[in-house]
Amino acid sequence: MRRTDTEGHGPVRYGPPLPDDGLPVLPELCAVLAAAAGLGGAEPVGGGQHLLEAACGYWERRSLETAPEHVTAGPGAPSLLLALTAALGGDVLVPRPCAAWWAPYARLLGRPVFHVATPAECGGVPDPYALLETVRRVREEGGDPRLLVLSVADDPTGTVAPPEVVHEAVEAAAGEGLYLVSDETWRDTLHDPAATVLLSPAEMLPARVVVVTDLAGALLPPGWPAAVARFPAGPDGAALHARVLDVLTALGAWVAGPVAAAAAYALGEPEPVTERVTAAVRLHARVAAELHSAVVGAGALARPPQAGRHLYADLGPLRAALSARGVGDAQELEDFLSARLGMSAPGGQRFGDDLGALRVRLATGPVLGGTAEERAQSLGSPMALELPHAQAALTRVTTVLDELRDDARRREPPR
């Protein structure tokens, strides 16, 4: 991860990658990839029939009926979002904070990006009143807001938006004639699926929502780039689908043949894949809970993580102690924590948050080990968090945060 401009803490030019799962690649996936390694022909732009049909089955098991002609595949979600942004035109709206990779693709195309505040209970979905006000202001100033990107299971906050919040945001967007892209990369990583209801915006507004899923969220290693997009049925959806294929063709953005074979296998969700996903989610949920306890135990703030391999911490209550260490903004906090914790801790400015706010995303993957052997141990152990490398990582986090808490208390004025 590259640092931002050291002179003025200027625009973020290189965002952090998706939080890695830090686990060995599933052997069955390796076997499928290896068996397809001899295929020399290029996969069609947008994906071959086998991959598209596998994606349809994946969505149908999630109550989203889909036909192959309504699906496109690409080498990762960023390429799909870039193509969608280019095809739709207009200004782009995103929540604050949002995934680090959303805004740069709009700016690359010269499109203005407007951040919208989120409700108190979750990230990833804009507050409906803030959305309406932002759209009104942008139009008054001569802008042309057309696209809202949101994420019900969110990066960076690790929260899942309640259905009623999703309803309100989608209704507000529909009333303003916005098109929606729903990034559902993390929908298969719910920490407590039995107690968490995830509602896709495509279930509410099927004619104006494109669903994008990067398979690095739960199904494939991040080094095997593949993502799928589901388009609305009907003439408007077909026209948008065709424009997106044009952009992907111009970019040469196709999924490599061996990766497409592995992606189709994973999307089919055979037993080895579902077992691995379940085990990985359970493991990362336990780590996330421990990190959350360390953050709130030190007097900082964080919503309880509900999905993904990360959580979003606000160290504002520890500002006095951080200031004494030369930390006054999110970039300096990123530098400080990354050095002290021995793992990447990207600051909130990378996610469109205020530079002055002391917020960071903490990932769970580094706790599972720094070597292939340690990660294999973490996956296979029923007491993974008690392994020496996991204990050492969690102890570092707790120690650093507790030191800040104690220092902040000493600096409090007498009452």
Side-chain angles (χ1 to χ4, degrees):
M1 187 176 67
R2 294 277 297 275
R3 197 188 193 280
T4 52
D5 174 39
T6 56
E7 292 295 324
H9 290 181
V12 176
R13 295 176 183 160
Y14 299 91
L18 292 177
D20 194 354
D21 72 354
L23 298 173
V25 179
L26 183 67
E28 287 82 356
L29 278 176
C30 290
V32 172
L33 187 81
L39 299 176
E43 187 81 359
V45 172
Q49 193 68 18
H50 184 44
L51 176 56
L52 301 183
E53 290 176 352
C56 292
Y58 168 86
W59 275 310
E60 285 166 2
R61 290 189 292 276
R62 288 153 182 81
S63 302
L64 290 173
E65 185 176 345
T66 309
E69 61 268 22
H70 303 148
V71 180
T72 287
S79 64
L80 295 177
L81 183 58
L82 174 64
L84 282 161
T85 306
L88 285 166
D91 302 343
V92 180
L93 302 165
V94 297
R96 184 190 301 275
C98 69
W101 56 274
W102 288 359
Y105 291 94
R107 295 193 179 110
L108 179 67
L109 295 167
R111 305 286 167 70
V113 178
F114 298 93
H115 290 267
V116 185
T118 55
E121 59 264 50
C122 65
V125 175
D127 176 88
Y129 298 104
L131 176 62
L132 293 173
E133 176 60 20
T134 302
V135 170
R136 182 194 65 77
R137 175 174 54 82
V138 171
R139 287 177 175 154
E140 280 187 352
E141 295 174 357
D144 182 20
R146 294 189 198 176
L147 173 61
L148 170 64
V149 186
L150 48 71
S151 179
V152 177
D154 185 45
D155 172 20
T157 65
T159 59
V160 176
E164 60 273 17
V165 173
V166 180
H167 270 287
E168 292 171 357
V170 172
E171 285 177 355
E176 295 298 328
L178 301 179
Y179 220 98
L180 279 70
V181 170
S182 176
D183 177 9
E184 300 186 6
T185 294
W186 301 104
R187 74 166 296 154
D188 296 322
T189 64
L190 301 184
H191 295 176
D192 188 357
T196 307
V197 178
L198 189 151
L199 176 69
S200 171
E203 297 178 62
M204 282 189 60
L205 193 65
R208 295 188 67 82
V209 177
V210 176
V211 176
V212 173
T213 299
D214 197 309
L215 303 192
L219 298 176
L220 287 183
W224 301 5
V228 287
R230 177 191 181 274
F231 290 78
D236 290 345
L240 177 60
H241 182 231
R243 293 198 299 273
V244 165
L245 283 176
D246 286 342
V247 177
L248 294 175
T249 301
L251 295 173
W254 58 80
V255 183
V259 174
Y265 173 78
L267 284 165
E269 297 181 292
E271 187 174 338
V273 170
T274 57
E275 288 180 352
R276 166 57 72 84
V277 170
T278 299
V281 170
R282 185 185 304 119
L283 182 56
H284 284 282
R286 292 173 58 198
V287 176
E290 291 291 324
L291 291 176
H292 181 259
S293 293
V295 169
V296 298
L301 306 172
R303 298 184 184 99
Q306 299 171 283
R309 303 186 282 262
H310 51 277
L311 73 155
Y312 199 55
D314 184 347
L315 274 61
L318 307 177
R319 184 177 289 275
L322 287 164
S323 294
R325 291 162 171 79
V327 176
D329 63 26
Q331 179 62 64
E332 292 167 347
L333 180 61
E334 174 184 308
D335 295 341
F336 173 78
L337 286 181
S338 296
R340 291 293 306 276
L341 301 179
M343 65 185 198
S344 175
Q349 84 286 357
R350 296 186 180 271
F351 307 102
D353 220 336
D354 294 331
L355 178 64
L358 297 176
R359 300 186 185 116
V360 293
R361 186 186 71 186
L362 300 176
T364 55
V367 175
L368 303 180
T371 67
E373 292 76 14
E374 289 175 346
R375 292 190 287 269
Q377 275 186 302
S378 296
L379 180 62
S381 173
M383 306 182 75
L385 300 194
E386 297 182 13
L387 293 171
H389 57 267
Q391 279 289 299
L394 291 171
T395 298
R396 277 196 302 274
V397 174
T398 302
T399 300
V400 169
L401 293 176
D402 285 352
E403 286 176 357
L404 293 172
R405 176 200 61 197
D406 295 343
D407 193 10
R409 287 176 177 173
R410 284 194 295 270
R411 294 174 184 277
E412 288 180 354
R415 298 182 181 181

